[in-house]
């Protein structure tokens, strides 16, 4: 019998200590949406698999899989996705935890029939708030846990948009550092409903002179 996909997510996050390093143990997180991240070259994020810097250079697509009932029950539900690196610059000295790689709002379920099991690319209805920045761990900084968090946006008459001037619009290197995704979620009444991650091993460079 296959493991429950919900508990598998939490177990995988605990295994790599993303709980509690990114999602505090005190934060109630019950996953309700499965999603995968697929890069243009076919590389796919799957709860802790290892990818290369080369695999992950270009902005990926998001594939959603509803766990509780058909998609047409949640046709109007929209999501925000954040990608971050809690191991900046090193896991053992993560003074820039977390480095914000990507924030995109207005993600919607694909237009598939309710009896279709096919997971198609989600619709990105807004341009990214934080433009995608690919992994680029500094040499000799070990393994980095690139984490994706999926938040359900609050329902309302107007589409959810992060206000202009918010820190999430900062695209420069220095503006992406020391970002707390849980504080961000609390600020905008976003509910964490899914998570995924992959690992990148930094290049090993001989530093002997």
């Amino acid at each position: 019998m296959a493991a429950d996909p919900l508990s598998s997510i939490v177990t995988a996050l605990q295994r790599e200590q993303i709980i509690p390093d990114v999602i505090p143990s005190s934060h109630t997180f019950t996953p309700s949406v499965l999603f995968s991240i697929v890069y243009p070259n076919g590389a796919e994020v799957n709860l802790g698999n290892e990818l290369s810097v080369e695999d992950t250079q270009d902005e990926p697509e998001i594939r959603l899989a509803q766990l509780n009932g058909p998609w047409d029950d949640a046709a109007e539900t929209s999501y925000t996705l954040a990608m971050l690196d809690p191991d900046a610059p090193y896991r053992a000295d993560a003074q820039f935890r977390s480095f914000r790689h990507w924030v995109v709002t207005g993600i919607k379920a694909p237009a598939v029939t309710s009896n279709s099991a096919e997971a198609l690319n989600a619709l990105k209805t807004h341009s990214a708030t934080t433009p995608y920045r690919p992994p680029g761990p500094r040499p000799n900084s070990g393994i980095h846990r690139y984490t994706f968090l999926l938040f359900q946006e609050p329902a309302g008459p107007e589409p959810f948009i992060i206000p202009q001037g918010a820190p999430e619009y900062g695209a420069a290197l220095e503006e992406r550092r020391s970002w707390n995704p849980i504080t961000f979620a609390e600020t905008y009444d976003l509910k964490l409903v899914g998570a995924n991650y992959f690992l990148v091993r930094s290049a090993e460079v001989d530093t002997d002179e």
Side-chain angles (χ1 to χ4, degrees):
M1 180 176 172
D4 170 34
L6 290 178
S7 60
S8 297
I9 294 171
V10 173
T11 299
L13 297 175
Q14 291 171 333
R15 182 179 66 236
E16 282 294 338
Q17 296 182 308
I18 291 169
I19 298 174
D21 289 352
V22 176
I23 305 168
S25 301
S26 58
H27 185 81
T28 302
F29 172 43
T30 304
S32 59
V33 180
L34 282 174
F35 71 96
S36 62
I37 302 293
V38 183
Y39 283 90
N41 60 7
E44 185 168 354
V45 176
N46 186 21
L47 286 177
N49 57 321
E50 190 169 321
L51 298 176
S52 69
V53 168
E54 292 72 28
D55 287 335
T56 55
Q57 282 302 294
D58 299 317
E59 181 178 316
E61 295 296 334
I62 305 137
R63 292 184 182 168
L64 300 165
Q66 183 80 337
L67 289 178
N68 302 321
W71 274 122
D72 49 10
D73 287 350
E76 296 308 310
T77 302
S78 60
Y79 301 93
T80 290
L81 182 78
M83 174 186 170
L84 53 96
D85 175 12
D87 305 320
Y90 311 92
R91 184 165 175 174
D93 181 23
Q95 57 181 302
F96 300 137
R97 176 176 295 167
S98 286
F99 186 92
R100 189 179 71 255
H101 278 265
W102 192 31
V103 174
V104 57
T105 64
I107 296 166
K108 295 205 169 188
V112 295
T113 58
S114 60
N115 62 355
S116 172
E118 187 177 12
L120 300 175
N121 293 345
L123 307 174
K124 299 173 184 171
T125 63
H126 301 151
S127 57
T129 306
T130 302
Y132 180 76
R133 184 184 179 95
R138 65 175 65 178
N140 302 326
S141 62
I143 292 176
H144 290 245
R145 301 165 293 171
Y146 291 93
T147 305
F148 295 88
L149 301 178
L150 188 72
F151 301 96
Q152 184 173 320
E153 297 174 354
E158 298 296 326
F160 170 72
I161 295 176
I162 298 169
Q164 287 290 337
E168 288 71 32
Y169 285 93
L173 186 75
E174 298 77 10
E175 294 174 311
R176 294 173 180 259
R177 292 172 173 166
S178 305
W179 185 69
N180 187 321
I182 303 304
T183 301
F184 162 72
E186 290 171 348
T187 299
Y188 297 111
D189 194 24
L190 300 169
K191 179 184 179 184
L192 182 61
V193 293
N196 208 334
Y197 69 99
F198 66 95
L199 306 176
V200 171
R201 193 178 301 270
S202 66
E204 296 296 323
V205 177
D206 188 352
T207 57
D208 293 340
E209 294 184 3

